[in-house]
Amino acid sequence: MEPQISEFIERSPFPWWSWNVLENRVTASRHKVENLGYSHSDFAGAGYEAYTDLLHEEDYNRAMEAMYALLRGESPIYQVDHRILASDGSYHW
């Protein structure tokens, strides 16, 4: 049996997240949320807006356009550098 995506995310040393588009549910690695100073439970059952609301205003449009390009089939992956708000009010890349 192959591991579920959530198992891969939890084992990864990188700050990964996975979005179930149909259910609008994001699964994020503990590394991703705890690196930003949040608790993993802060994002339990969260939709993508819980993350996009934390994007730096200068990076928001670029990050969203990359997401839309993926959804339209114009890009094979969602990969974009952006700043995201940490719990202490600072932004992390």
Side-chain angles (χ1 to χ4, degrees), residues 73-84:
E74 298 167 1
S75 177
I77 62 170
Y78 174 76
Q79 181 175 340
V80 61
D81 290 328
H82 60 272
R83 290 163 284 188
I84 191 165

Side-chain angles (χ1 to χ4, degrees), residues 13-45:
F14 300 104
W16 289 92
W17 63 281
S18 174
W19 177 32
N20 178 322
V21 176
L22 297 176
E23 297 177 11
N24 188 24
R25 190 179 70 238
V26 174
T27 303
S29 67
R30 289 191 185 279
H31 184 72
K32 180 172 185 67
V33 296
E34 291 175 357
N35 207 27
L36 294 169
Y38 299 105
S39 166
H40 198 258
S41 64
D42 292 336
F43 295 96

